[in-house]
PDB file of all heavy atoms in Angstrom:
ATOM      1  N   ASP A 431     165.863-155.942 185.830  1.00 73.00           N
ATOM      2  CA  ASP A 431     167.328-155.934 185.705  1.00 73.00           C
ATOM      3  C   ASP A 431     167.806-157.057 184.786  1.00 73.00           C
ATOM      4  O   ASP A 431     168.765-156.905 184.039  1.00 73.00           O
ATOM      5  CB  ASP A 431     167.985-156.101 187.080  1.00 73.00           C
ATOM      6  CG  ASP A 431     167.936-154.802 187.851  1.00 73.00           C
ATOM      7  OD1 ASP A 431     167.744-153.758 187.202  1.00 73.00           O
ATOM      8  OD2 ASP A 431     168.072-154.834 189.082  1.00 73.00           O
ATOM      9  N   GLU A 432     167.111-158.193 184.888  1.00 77.00           N
ATOM     10  CA  GLU A 432     167.501-159.326 184.035  1.00 77.00           C
ATOM     11  C   GLU A 432     167.164-159.053 182.569  1.00 77.00           C
ATOM     12  O   GLU A 432     167.859-159.520 181.680  1.00 77.00           O
ATOM     13  CB  GLU A 432     166.819-160.600 184.528  1.00 77.00           C
ATOM     14  CG  GLU A 432     167.366-161.040 185.890  1.00 77.00           C
ATOM     15  CD  GLU A 432     166.519-162.115 186.534  1.00 77.00           C
ATOM     16  OE1 GLU A 432     165.456-161.782 187.070  1.00 77.00           O
ATOM     17  OE2 GLU A 432     166.931-163.273 186.474  1.00 77.00           O
ATOM     18  N   PHE A 433     166.113-158.257 182.351  1.00 81.00           N
ATOM     19  CA  PHE A 433     165.777-157.840 180.987  1.00 81.00           C
ATOM     20  C   PHE A 433     166.937-157.066 180.375  1.00 81.00           C
ATOM     21  O   PHE A 433     167.258-157.209 179.198  1.00 81.00           O
ATOM     22  CB  PHE A 433     164.524-156.959 180.982  1.00 81.00           C
ATOM     23  CG  PHE A 433     163.324-157.632 180.386  1.00 81.00           C
ATOM     24  CD1 PHE A 433     162.275-158.048 181.180  1.00 81.00           C
ATOM     25  CD2 PHE A 433     163.270-157.854 179.017  1.00 81.00           C
ATOM     26  CE1 PHE A 433     161.182-158.684 180.640  1.00 81.00           C
ATOM     27  CE2 PHE A 433     162.177-158.485 178.462  1.00 81.00           C
ATOM     28  CZ  PHE A 433     161.128-158.910 179.276  1.00 81.00           C
ATOM     29  N   GLU A 434     167.515-156.226 181.221  1.00 85.00           N
ATOM     30  CA  GLU A 434     168.644-155.408 180.763  1.00 85.00           C
ATOM     31  C   GLU A 434     169.788-156.311 180.299  1.00 85.00           C
ATOM     32  O   GLU A 434     170.337-156.123 179.210  1.00 85.00           O
ATOM     33  CB  GLU A 434     169.096-154.499 181.911  1.00 85.00           C
ATOM     34  CG  GLU A 434     170.264-153.624 181.560  1.00 85.00           C
ATOM     35  CD  GLU A 434     170.642-152.717 182.717  1.00 85.00           C
ATOM     36  OE1 GLU A 434     169.836-151.869 183.105  1.00 85.00           O
ATOM     37  OE2 GLU A 434     171.764-152.893 183.239  1.00 85.00           O
ATOM     38  N   THR A 435     170.125-157.306 181.112  1.00 87.00           N
ATOM     39  CA  THR A 435     171.208-158.236 180.767  1.00 87.00           C
ATOM     40  C   THR A 435     170.880-158.973 179.474  1.00 87.00           C
ATOM     41  O   THR A 435     171.710-159.084 178.579  1.00 87.00           O
ATOM     42  CB  THR A 435     171.394-159.271 181.910  1.00 87.00           C
ATOM     43  OG1 THR A 435     171.383-158.557 183.135  1.00 87.00           O
ATOM     44  CG2 THR A 435     172.665-160.050 181.774  1.00 87.00           C
ATOM     45  N   GLU A 436     169.633-159.461 179.387  1.00 87.00           N
ATOM     46  CA  GLU A 436     169.204-160.207 178.187  1.00 87.00           C
ATOM     47  C   GLU A 436     169.275-159.317 176.939  1.00 87.00           C
ATOM     48  O   GLU A 436     169.683-159.769 175.876  1.00 87.00           O
ATOM     49  CB  GLU A 436     167.761-160.700 178.361  1.00 87.00           C
ATOM     50  CG  GLU A 436     167.588-161.787 179.393  1.00 87.00           C
ATOM     51  CD  GLU A 436     167.712-163.187 178.792  1.00 87.00           C
ATOM     52  OE1 GLU A 436     167.621-163.299 177.559  1.00 87.00           O
ATOM     53  OE2 GLU A 436     167.917-164.133 179.559  1.00 87.00           O
ATOM     54  N   ALA A 437     168.850-158.042 177.103  1.00 89.00           N
ATOM     55  CA  ALA A 437     168.826-157.129 175.950  1.00 89.00           C
ATOM     56  C   ALA A 437     170.249-156.875 175.458  1.00 89.00           C
ATOM     57  O   ALA A 437     170.514-156.930 174.251  1.00 89.00           O
ATOM     58  CB  ALA A 437     168.160-155.816 176.345  1.00 89.00           C
ATOM     59  N   LEU A 438     171.178-156.627 176.390  1.00 92.00           N
ATOM     60  CA  LEU A 438     172.562-156.341 175.986  1.00 92.00           C
ATOM     61  C   LEU A 438     173.198-157.569 175.344  1.00 92.00           C
ATOM     62  O   LEU A 438     173.943-157.456 174.360  1.00 92.00           O
ATOM     63  CB  LEU A 438     173.376-155.868 177.196  1.00 92.00           C
ATOM     64  CG  LEU A 438     172.947-154.489 177.735  1.00 92.00           C
ATOM     65  CD1 LEU A 438     173.567-154.217 179.088  1.00 92.00           C
ATOM     66  CD2 LEU A 438     173.301-153.370 176.758  1.00 92.00           C
ATOM     67  N   TYR A 439     172.868-158.743 175.864  1.00 92.00           N
ATOM     68  CA  TYR A 439     173.384-159.989 175.293  1.00 92.00           C
ATOM     69  C   TYR A 439     172.847-160.173 173.861  1.00 92.00           C
ATOM     70  O   TYR A 439     173.582-160.507 172.943  1.00 92.00           O
ATOM     71  CB  TYR A 439     172.969-161.159 176.191  1.00 92.00           C
ATOM     72  CG  TYR A 439     173.364-162.512 175.650  1.00 92.00           C
ATOM     73  CD1 TYR A 439     174.692-162.931 175.678  1.00 92.00           C
ATOM     74  CD2 TYR A 439     172.394-163.363 175.099  1.00 92.00           C
ATOM     75  CE1 TYR A 439     175.056-164.170 175.155  1.00 92.00           C
ATOM     76  CE2 TYR A 439     172.753-164.601 174.586  1.00 92.00           C
ATOM     77  CZ  TYR A 439     174.081-165.003 174.614  1.00 92.00           C
ATOM     78  OH  TYR A 439     174.433-166.215 174.095  1.00 92.00           O
ATOM     79  N   ALA A 440     171.522-159.885 173.709  1.00 92.00           N
ATOM     80  CA  ALA A 440     170.892-160.049 172.387  1.00 92.00           C
ATOM     81  C   ALA A 440     171.510-159.097 171.365  1.00 92.00           C
ATOM     82  O   ALA A 440     171.700-159.469 170.208  1.00 92.00           O
ATOM     83  CB  ALA A 440     169.393-159.799 172.501  1.00 92.00           C
ATOM     84  N   ILE A 441     171.842-157.892 171.789  1.00 94.00           N
ATOM     85  CA  ILE A 441     172.439-156.921 170.854  1.00 94.00           C
ATOM     86  C   ILE A 441     173.801-157.438 170.390  1.00 94.00           C
ATOM     87  O   ILE A 441     174.138-157.391 169.201  1.00 94.00           O
ATOM     88  CB  ILE A 441     172.562-155.518 171.511  1.00 94.00           C
ATOM     89  CG1 ILE A 441     171.170-154.930 171.749  1.00 94.00           C
ATOM     90  CG2 ILE A 441     173.397-154.576 170.642  1.00 94.00           C
ATOM     91  CD1 ILE A 441     171.150-153.686 172.611  1.00 94.00           C
ATOM     92  N   GLU A 442     174.563-157.976 171.352  1.00 94.00           N
ATOM     93  CA  GLU A 442     175.892-158.489 171.015  1.00 94.00           C
ATOM     94  C   GLU A 442     175.798-159.697 170.081  1.00 94.00           C
ATOM     95  O   GLU A 442     176.527-159.795 169.099  1.00 94.00           O
ATOM     96  CB  GLU A 442     176.600-158.886 172.309  1.00 94.00           C
ATOM     97  CG  GLU A 442     178.096-159.039 172.126  1.00 94.00           C
ATOM     98  CD  GLU A 442     178.773-159.373 173.442  1.00 94.00           C
ATOM     99  OE1 GLU A 442     178.306-158.891 174.487  1.00 94.00           O
ATOM    100  OE2 GLU A 442     179.755-160.132 173.413  1.00 94.00           O
ATOM    101  N   GLU A 443     174.844-160.575 170.365  1.00 94.00           N
ATOM    102  CA  GLU A 443     174.704-161.804 169.578  1.00 94.00           C
ATOM    103  C   GLU A 443     174.105-161.556 168.200  1.00 94.00           C
ATOM    104  O   GLU A 443     174.566-162.084 167.201  1.00 94.00           O
ATOM    105  CB  GLU A 443     173.785-162.790 170.324  1.00 94.00           C
ATOM    106  CG  GLU A 443     174.444-163.532 171.458  1.00 94.00           C
ATOM    107  CD  GLU A 443     175.481-164.531 170.969  1.00 94.00           C
ATOM    108  OE1 GLU A 443     175.094-165.471 170.255  1.00 94.00           O
ATOM    109  OE2 GLU A 443     176.678-164.350 171.302  1.00 94.00           O
ATOM    110  N   GLU A 444     173.045-160.762 168.173  1.00 93.00           N
ATOM    111  CA  GLU A 444     172.253-160.626 166.939  1.00 93.00           C
ATOM    112  C   GLU A 444     172.648-159.437 166.074  1.00 93.00           C
ATOM    113  O   GLU A 444     172.280-159.382 164.908  1.00 93.00           O
ATOM    114  CB  GLU A 444     170.754-160.506 167.290  1.00 93.00           C
ATOM    115  CG  GLU A 444     170.168-161.724 167.974  1.00 93.00           C
ATOM    116  CD  GLU A 444     170.039-162.919 167.031  1.00 93.00           C
ATOM    117  OE1 GLU A 444     170.029-162.708 165.803  1.00 93.00           O
ATOM    118  OE2 GLU A 444     169.965-164.046 167.533  1.00 93.00           O
ATOM    119  N   GLN A 445     173.368-158.493 166.656  1.00 95.00           N
ATOM    120  CA  GLN A 445     173.761-157.273 165.950  1.00 95.00           C
ATOM    121  C   GLN A 445     172.613-156.684 165.123  1.00 95.00           C
ATOM    122  O   GLN A 445     172.666-156.613 163.893  1.00 95.00           O
ATOM    123  CB  GLN A 445     174.965-157.553 165.067  1.00 95.00           C
ATOM    124  CG  GLN A 445     176.136-158.044 165.889  1.00 95.00           C
ATOM    125  CD  GLN A 445     177.416-158.116 165.116  1.00 95.00           C
ATOM    126  OE1 GLN A 445     177.420-158.243 163.897  1.00 95.00           O
ATOM    127  NE2 GLN A 445     178.528-158.044 165.811  1.00 95.00           N
ATOM    128  N   PRO A 446     171.544-156.262 165.814  1.00 95.00           N
ATOM    129  CA  PRO A 446     170.390-155.720 165.069  1.00 95.00           C
ATOM    130  C   PRO A 446     170.722-154.366 164.435  1.00 95.00           C
ATOM    131  O   PRO A 446     171.685-153.708 164.834  1.00 95.00           O
ATOM    132  CB  PRO A 446     169.325-155.552 166.160  1.00 95.00           C
ATOM    133  CG  PRO A 446     170.100-155.365 167.420  1.00 95.00           C
ATOM    134  CD  PRO A 446     171.345-156.174 167.271  1.00 95.00           C
ATOM    135  N   ASP A 447     169.883-153.973 163.465  1.00 95.00           N
ATOM    136  CA  ASP A 447     170.063-152.657 162.827  1.00 95.00           C
ATOM    137  C   ASP A 447     169.397-151.555 163.648  1.00 95.00           C
ATOM    138  O   ASP A 447     169.695-150.381 163.460  1.00 95.00           O
ATOM    139  CB  ASP A 447     169.439-152.674 161.427  1.00 95.00           C
ATOM    140  CG  ASP A 447     170.130-153.696 160.543  1.00 95.00           C
ATOM    141  OD1 ASP A 447     171.154-153.367 159.966  1.00 95.00           O
ATOM    142  OD2 ASP A 447     169.647-154.853 160.485  1.00 95.00           O
ATOM    143  N   GLY A 448     168.473-151.954 164.504  1.00 95.00           N
ATOM    144  CA  GLY A 448     167.795-150.979 165.354  1.00 95.00           C
ATOM    145  C   GLY A 448     167.125-151.684 166.515  1.00 95.00           C
ATOM    146  O   GLY A 448     166.910-152.895 166.472  1.00 95.00           O
ATOM    147  N   VAL A 449     166.826-150.918 167.569  1.00 95.00           N
ATOM    148  CA  VAL A 449     166.170-151.492 168.749  1.00 95.00           C
ATOM    149  C   VAL A 449     164.904-150.699 169.040  1.00 95.00           C
ATOM    150  O   VAL A 449     164.896-149.471 168.965  1.00 95.00           O
ATOM    151  CB  VAL A 449     167.113-151.427 169.988  1.00 95.00           C
ATOM    152  CG1 VAL A 449     166.412-151.966 171.233  1.00 95.00           C
ATOM    153  CG2 VAL A 449     168.397-152.188 169.742  1.00 95.00           C
ATOM    154  N   LEU A 450     163.841-151.438 169.333  1.00 94.00           N
ATOM    155  CA  LEU A 450     162.599-150.826 169.785  1.00 94.00           C
ATOM    156  C   LEU A 450     162.502-151.155 171.267  1.00 94.00           C
ATOM    157  O   LEU A 450     162.355-152.321 171.640  1.00 94.00           O
ATOM    158  CB  LEU A 450     161.438-151.448 168.993  1.00 94.00           C
ATOM    159  CG  LEU A 450     160.093-150.759 168.993  1.00 94.00           C
ATOM    160  CD1 LEU A 450     160.201-149.308 168.584  1.00 94.00           C
ATOM    161  CD2 LEU A 450     159.155-151.473 168.024  1.00 94.00           C
ATOM    162  N   LEU A 451     162.652-150.132 172.116  1.00 91.00           N
ATOM    163  CA  LEU A 451     162.803-150.374 173.564  1.00 91.00           C
ATOM    164  C   LEU A 451     161.684-149.689 174.336  1.00 91.00           C
ATOM    165  O   LEU A 451     161.441-148.487 174.153  1.00 91.00           O
ATOM    166  CB  LEU A 451     164.179-149.835 173.996  1.00 91.00           C
ATOM    167  CG  LEU A 451     164.510-149.751 175.476  1.00 91.00           C
ATOM    168  CD1 LEU A 451     164.544-151.131 176.125  1.00 91.00           C
ATOM    169  CD2 LEU A 451     165.867-149.063 175.674  1.00 91.00           C
ATOM    170  N   ASP A 452     161.032-150.433 175.211  1.00 88.00           N
ATOM    171  CA  ASP A 452     159.964-149.861 176.033  1.00 88.00           C
ATOM    172  C   ASP A 452     160.581-149.062 177.177  1.00 88.00           C
ATOM    173  O   ASP A 452     161.646-149.427 177.691  1.00 88.00           O
ATOM    174  CB  ASP A 452     159.100-151.014 176.588  1.00 88.00           C
ATOM    175  CG  ASP A 452     157.755-150.518 177.090  1.00 88.00           C
ATOM    176  OD1 ASP A 452     157.435-149.345 176.842  1.00 88.00           O
ATOM    177  OD2 ASP A 452     157.036-151.308 177.722  1.00 88.00           O
ATOM    178  N   VAL A 453     159.909-148.003 177.580  1.00 82.00           N
ATOM    179  CA  VAL A 453     160.401-147.226 178.730  1.00 82.00           C
ATOM    180  C   VAL A 453     160.043-147.944 180.032  1.00 82.00           C
ATOM    181  O   VAL A 453     160.840-148.045 180.948  1.00 82.00           O
ATOM    182  CB  VAL A 453     159.799-145.795 178.730  1.00 82.00           C
ATOM    183  CG1 VAL A 453     160.044-145.101 180.060  1.00 82.00           C
ATOM    184  CG2 VAL A 453     160.406-144.963 177.611  1.00 82.00           C
ATOM    185  N   ARG A 454     158.835-148.487 180.084  1.00 77.00           N
ATOM    186  CA  ARG A 454     158.317-149.011 181.340  1.00 77.00           C
ATOM    187  C   ARG A 454     158.410-150.533 181.386  1.00 77.00           C
ATOM    188  O   ARG A 454     158.008-151.215 180.454  1.00 77.00           O
ATOM    189  CB  ARG A 454     156.858-148.573 181.467  1.00 77.00           C
ATOM    190  CG  ARG A 454     156.239-148.853 182.799  1.00 77.00           C
ATOM    191  CD  ARG A 454     154.874-148.188 182.857  1.00 77.00           C
ATOM    192  NE  ARG A 454     154.265-148.404 184.150  1.00 77.00           N
ATOM    193  CZ  ARG A 454     153.747-147.445 184.882  1.00 77.00           C
ATOM    194  NH1 ARG A 454     153.739-146.223 184.466  1.00 77.00           N
ATOM    195  NH2 ARG A 454     153.201-147.722 186.041  1.00 77.00           N
ATOM    196  N   PHE A 455     158.966-151.051 182.476  1.00 76.00           N
ATOM    197  CA  PHE A 455     159.056-152.503 182.669  1.00 76.00           C
ATOM    198  C   PHE A 455     158.346-152.855 183.972  1.00 76.00           C
ATOM    199  O   PHE A 455     158.909-152.700 185.036  1.00 76.00           O
ATOM    200  CB  PHE A 455     160.515-152.965 182.725  1.00 76.00           C
ATOM    201  CG  PHE A 455     161.137-153.063 181.363  1.00 76.00           C
ATOM    202  CD1 PHE A 455     161.560-151.918 180.708  1.00 76.00           C
ATOM    203  CD2 PHE A 455     161.273-154.275 180.724  1.00 76.00           C
ATOM    204  CE1 PHE A 455     162.105-151.989 179.448  1.00 76.00           C
ATOM    205  CE2 PHE A 455     161.808-154.359 179.451  1.00 76.00           C
ATOM    206  CZ  PHE A 455     162.240-153.200 178.808  1.00 76.00           C
TER     207      PHE A 455
END
Side-chain angles (χ1 to χ4, degrees):
Chain A
D431 283 341
E432 292 168 283
F433 251 108
E434 179 178 296
T435 314
E436 291 269 344
L438 292 168
Y439 176 73
I441 293 169
E442 197 178 326
E443 282 291 297
E444 297 289 339
Q445 301 190 335
D447 298 276
V449 177
L450 196 53
L451 170 64
D452 197 10
V453 167
R454 189 172 182 130
F455 281 78

